[in-house]
Amino acid sequence: MRISIDHATTYAYDRAARFIIQTLRLTPRSSEAQQVRNWRVETDVDARLRKSEDAFGNIVHTLYTEQPTQSLTVRVSGEVITADTAGVVPAGQETLSPLVFLRDTALTRRDKLISVFASEFSAHPPLERLHRLMAGIHGSVAFEVGVTTPTHTAAEVLALGRGVCQDHAHVFIACARQMGTPARYVSGHLLRRDGKDDQEAAHAWAEAWIPDLGWVGFDPANGICSTDRYVRVAAGLDYRGAAPVRGASYGGGGERLAVRLNVRDADMQQGQQQA
């Protein structure tokens, strides 16, 4: 499948910010499951972009503004050709032991509720328990925008019973780690089946380490494993390690954020244009 992505993040400030620094995890890496084509990272102001790779193997661009800035837009665009691997992440690019992803974080720390919820699935074989866990979260945490923030923990979300894809991923990760299974957070994009190309935000899901299979993608927000409709961009212990954009500004007063995202089937679009 050929997926076209156009993703713009705009920051506006009450007053011109003297200096802005942003860490961008917006660029997908090519693998056996996805081939990245014509990917561009652009800004609408004078800024420096320094490309590097973090400890998790993610492609990172660090942005520094060169002058006082009233607003800043970071735009990425390109195409990714994907293959359906039944959720299995191709091996060969791992930089860390799976055991690293048993580590607790502030957003995935386990409490009694997480422990009790996870215990419902722990008696099953590894792959089955994770499928059951995914289905359990999908049925227990309703998808609802606006009731949580990026600071909500997995335990808080499970108790609340509502959240967005980021929250579903955190609950899955916390429960998987409770059962002794390494799990990590993944940010990326999803080509939706309902035909809605314009989206409010990037997507998030989880990956868990299964013996004899390796890393496998689980999307509890939608109740399915990742397919060729998913574009994998970054991974980390939780949201903070894989967030598309994180940073700080100096001066500027109040800050407002707007995101514009379009994810579409490029082959279908081409066929419509030729018709």
Side-chain angles (χ1 to χ4, degrees):
M1 180 172 289
R2 188 162 60 100
I3 299 175
S4 178
I5 297 164
D6 193 336
H7 185 189
T9 303
T10 298
Y11 290 88
Y13 304 94
D14 292 339
R15 302 181 302 276
R18 295 192 300 273
F19 181 72
I20 302 170
I21 180 171
Q22 298 282 6
T23 300
L24 314 177
R25 292 179 176 86
L26 293 166
T27 301
R29 183 184 292 279
S30 291
S31 70
E32 292 181 17
Q34 59 182 38
Q35 293 296 316
V36 182
R37 293 186 174 182
N38 303 318
W39 198 263
R40 297 180 299 279
V41 181
E42 303 168 310
T43 68
D44 64 344
V45 300
D46 290 332
R48 287 181 290 148
L49 279 173
R50 181 173 62 85
K51 185 178 179 180
S52 61
E53 182 177 302
D54 67 14
F56 299 104
N58 302 314
I59 297 174
V60 178
H61 288 85
T62 305
L63 179 149
Y64 309 86
T65 56
E66 301 282 352
Q67 60 189 19
T69 303
Q70 188 82 41
S71 67
L72 166 67
T73 295
V74 178
R75 181 185 177 191
V76 296
S77 58
E79 291 185 351
V80 182
I81 299 175
T82 61
D84 193 349
T85 60
V88 178
V89 180
Q93 294 184 335
E94 298 301 327
T95 58
L96 298 171
S97 165
L99 298 179
V100 170
F101 297 95
L102 287 171
R103 185 186 308 169
D104 267 343
T105 69
L107 294 175
T108 60
R109 188 169 294 121
R110 294 161 271 175
D111 68 351
K112 184 175 180 180
L113 180 58
I114 291 286
S115 299
V116 171
F117 188 78
S119 69
E120 299 178 17
F121 314 101
S122 58
H124 299 281
L127 181 58
E128 182 181 351
R129 81 171 61 129
L130 293 168
H131 277 287
R132 287 176 178 266
L133 171 62
M134 177 173 65
I137 296 170
H138 183 69
S140 299
V141 182
F143 189 93
E144 186 173 340
V145 177
V147 297
T148 58
T149 69
T151 63
H152 272 74
T153 67
E156 291 170 337
V157 169
L158 186 57
L160 182 63
R162 293 177 293 167
V164 293
C165 56
Q166 169 186 308
D167 304 308
H168 290 85
H170 281 153
V171 175
F172 183 97
I173 291 165
C175 291
R177 290 174 183 167
Q178 173 65 28
M179 294 187 288
T181 299
R184 62 191 181 190
Y185 183 98
V186 180
S187 64
H189 300 291
L190 171 62
L191 178 63
R192 294 171 52 156
R193 293 186 177 277
D194 60 9
K196 294 182 179 179
D197 296 341
D198 293 323
Q199 302 179 21
E200 296 180 351
H203 194 49
W205 60 99
E207 291 173 352
W209 177 266
I210 300 173
D212 301 324
L213 279 179
W215 290 104
V216 178
F218 295 88
D219 181 5
N222 289 294
I224 61 171
C225 285
S226 54
T227 68
D228 57 351
R229 304 182 77 87
Y230 288 69
V231 174
R232 188 180 187 280
V233 176
L237 290 167
D238 60 18
Y239 163 78
R240 290 170 180 163
V245 181
R246 289 192 71 194
S249 62
Y250 299 88
E255 177 185 277
R256 296 173 301 282
L257 171 67
V259 176
R260 179 179 57 80
L261 173 62
N262 183 276
V263 182
R264 61 189 180 274
D265 185 332
D267 290 324
M268 181 178 294
Q269 181 187 37
Q270 184 178 26
Q272 292 171 345
Q273 292 172 345
Q274 293 176 347

